[in-house]
Amino acid sequence: MRVRFAPSPTGFLHVGNARTAIVNYLYARSNNARMVLRIEDTDLERSTRESEDSIFRDLSWLGIRWDEGPDLGGEFGPYRQSERFDIYRSYTERLLGEGNAYRCYCTKEELDRMKKGGDGEAESYTYSGRCRSLTDDERKKFEAEGRPSTVRFRVPDNVSIVVNDRIKGPVEFNSSNIGGDFIIVRSDGVPVFNYIVIIDDTLMKISLVIRGDDHLSNTPKQLLVARALGLSEPEYAHLPLIMGPDRSKLSKRHGITSVEMYRKEGYLPHALMNYMAMLGWASESGEEILPIEDIIRQIDLKKLSKNAPIFDFQKLRWMNGMYIRDYPLADITILFMPYLANAGYNVDAIDRTHLETVVSILRRYCDILSDIGHLAGIFLDEVCVPDEEADAMLKSDDGKNVIRASRTIIRDRLDSANFATGLIPAVKGATSLKGKSFFMPLRAIITGRQKGPELDQVMAVIGYDKCKMRIEYCHEHYCS
RNA sequence: GUCCCCGUCGUCUAGUGGUCUAGGACACCGGGUUUUCAUCCCGGCAACAGGGGUUCGAUCCCCCUCGGGGAUGCCA
């Protein structure tokens, strides 16, 4: 059994394509199938090697592994369509020779005119078939004029084509309404997708094509080509497209859509894969967060939803947070380090055990790794410059009272051994404040914020010196 | 326009001719824990698109309508 993922390298890996890749991968793992990575780079203008590299990197980051591809080779290569033109050429000659294809000399301008003329219904246009039955003389005349030509596939009349889709069930098309004779080779000699995709799928012995729903309507064209060429036909499974909140195809204007951006913002690959697997599928138990291995064990094409799901950014975020909280502490600490570095901390200089303690407290506040950036200061900064809320609190009478009392007490009555447990009751007694009017100012002094982890926990971690320094800082700024 | 696909809480889904007073999760709202916030725990709100059939009985099967999406490229 063999499956394939066939991206075109014309940009970053989009989450929609990523889901196709993920389902292919999960299916392959679950059925012990080989996974082929094929690069569909026949759009010479838009395809770039950089895109290809970034797609490889993003797939790898997600944890997707393939068995054959441009980077690994394999017995059915080459795996870039741009390196297979000779193969396609021989098929084109056969099609031409057997009358299943013909040269079309219509220019773009002529085609445009045909579209606009007629009924005025540009939308319902199908190629008129003007060049379908050119005489030898007419053909020679066009050639003599030096007219460039495309190659069109001769679509037979009124033939029923049934796609036995593993997700949708049988879908019937009639050859008479798939848009007429379609171009299979451009005037510059480069073959087009709808033509060569089926050649590659059969040559690469793909048994099941799992791809996006947007290809379903094109499948009859591909099947017709296969029949004309006598090629075997793969099975198909068309995945519903992922939608944006407005129910149109998910795109940039809906939010982040590139896998690369999710990686950079601090989503975990397992969380992303788990979420994407849940988009259109449910586990037997109804659990939504489960190890990839369990998903592989349970996944079943028949259980995939036929509805096009809306991508729920919020739920992905939530799920990522769950992963962050469940991760082994030592590992998640390492994953947080680049984000701490990015926020300006010299992570290598910080004791690892201390860092793990900080992370163990702060990860409860993080849905994505980058969230730690604005929280780390509570533990890692020397002094915490109060934010707007904290500033207002510290300017109040209660605020100043607490600052003064804290300063006196930590300087004169406490040391590093007893301050963490002693400061709160001592200052409370000295100010005779209680409840929020006591804790909120103290929190503002120690952390510069009005919310965050429990104060005694913070103090125990930052230590006497840092605590004292922060109190002195506030005294200087608010009481003098 | 034409062809094709799809319609269960706001969202992702479970369910299948009676066990459905339709289950779970996110979001939202309320409560508890936290003298804060978040985490965590408990509770609540909320859906079978509409209309016809078939049937003793339809969310489930069939048809129509409506709604959404995709295709209709010398893009993939």
Side-chain angles (χ1 to χ4, degrees), chain A residues 112-160:
Chain A
D112 282 347
R113 227 174 299 133
M114 286 185 234
K115 280 186 197 177
K116 288 190 183 111
D119 311 337
E121 281 291 339
E123 305 276 315
S124 64
Y125 169 78
T126 53
Y127 178 61
S128 64
R130 190 184 80 162
C131 296
R132 223 178 196 227
S133 45
L134 253 26
T135 63
D136 283 350
D137 283 350
E138 288 170 317
R139 206 179 344 262
K140 275 185 193 123
K141 196 180 137 234
F142 282 137
E143 295 281 356
E145 283 175 20
R147 279 213 191 203
S149 64
T150 59
V151 178
R152 283 187 189 268
F153 182 81
R154 193 185 296 273
V155 175
D157 250 13
N158 199 233
V159 169
S160 163

Side-chain angles (χ1 to χ4, degrees), chain A residues 66-273:
Chain A
W66 50 96
D67 304 297
E68 297 166 31
D71 54 337
L72 298 173
E75 63 173 308
F76 299 97
Y79 292 92
R80 274 187 202 94
Q81 291 185 324
S82 60
E83 294 165 9
R84 300 169 64 79
F85 285 175
D86 287 345
I87 298 171
Y88 310 135
R89 200 165 0 250
S90 67
Y91 282 102
T92 306
E93 276 158 22
R94 246 184 73 195
L95 251 15
L96 248 12
E98 291 168 1
N100 285 315
Y102 59 89
R103 291 203 173 275
C104 172
Y105 297 89
C106 298
T107 62
K108 271 185 187 135
E109 293 68 35
E110 285 169 341
L111 291 170
D112 282 347
R113 227 174 299 133
M114 286 185 234
K115 280 186 197 177
K116 288 190 183 111
D119 311 337
E121 281 291 339
E123 305 276 315
S124 64
Y125 169 78
T126 53
Y127 178 61
S128 64
R130 190 184 80 162
C131 296
R132 223 178 196 227
S133 45
L134 253 26
T135 63
D136 283 350
D137 283 350
E138 288 170 317
R139 206 179 344 262
K140 275 185 193 123
K141 196 180 137 234
F142 282 137
E143 295 281 356
E145 283 175 20
R147 279 213 191 203
S149 64
T150 59
V151 178
R152 283 187 189 268
F153 182 81
R154 193 185 296 273
V155 175
D157 250 13
N158 199 233
V159 169
S160 163
I161 306 134
V162 176
V163 180
N164 248 310
D165 195 273
R166 295 275 293 272
I167 292 172
K168 313 274 183 195
V171 181
E172 186 179 358
F173 296 88
N174 187 294
S175 62
S176 296
N177 47 36
I178 60 171
D181 296 346
F182 54 93
I183 291 174
I184 58 175
V185 181
R186 303 170 170 89
S187 50
D188 63 1
V190 178
V192 304
F193 163 79
N194 269 135
Y195 168 45
I196 60 176
V197 68
I198 184 71
I199 294 177
D200 286 341
D201 284 336
T202 45
L203 255 30
M204 293 182 181
K205 300 218 178 330
I206 303 304
S207 36
L208 209 215
V209 173
I210 303 170
R211 60 182 7 172
D213 220 356
D214 47 346
H215 291 292
L216 181 56
S217 313
N218 288 324
T219 309
K221 293 181 189 169
Q222 297 160 20
L223 257 17
L224 249 15
V225 170
R227 287 178 196 178
L229 253 12
L231 299 172
S232 64
E233 299 169 13
E235 282 199 280
Y236 290 96
H238 286 96
L239 264 14
L241 263 19
I242 298 176
M243 300 301 189
D246 62 355
R247 290 228 179 251
S248 68
K249 205 165 155 182
L250 185 67
S251 74
K252 254 184 241 167
R253 71 199 154 83
H254 295 121
I256 302 175
T257 52
S258 80
V259 170
E260 181 180 34
M261 282 308 294
Y262 281 98
R263 173 163 49 82
K264 287 185 175 159
E265 291 225 331
Y267 285 81
L268 304 179
H270 282 179
L272 197 52
M273 194 183 268

Side-chain angles (χ1 to χ4, degrees), chain A residues 8 22 25 29 35 73 131 136 151 158 181 193 216 250 263 277 295-297 306 325 357 359 392 425 433 441 474 476:
Chain A
S8 63
I22 287 169
Y25 171 72
R29 290 280 315 274
M35 174 141 167
C131 296
D136 283 350
V151 178
N158 199 233
D181 296 346
F193 163 79
L216 181 56
L250 185 67
R263 173 163 49 82
I295 298 176
I296 289 168
R297 210 168 298 128
K306 294 179 186 178
R325 271 159 237 133
T357 306
V359 167
L433 287 168
C474 287
E476 199 177 309

Side-chain angles (χ1 to χ4, degrees), chain A residues 302-316:
Chain A
K302 286 196 291 291
K303 301 287 276 183
L304 290 191
S305 169
K306 294 179 186 178
N307 312 3
I310 292 173
F311 194 85
D312 189 340
F313 295 93
Q314 206 164 213
K315 188 159 184 177
L316 169 60

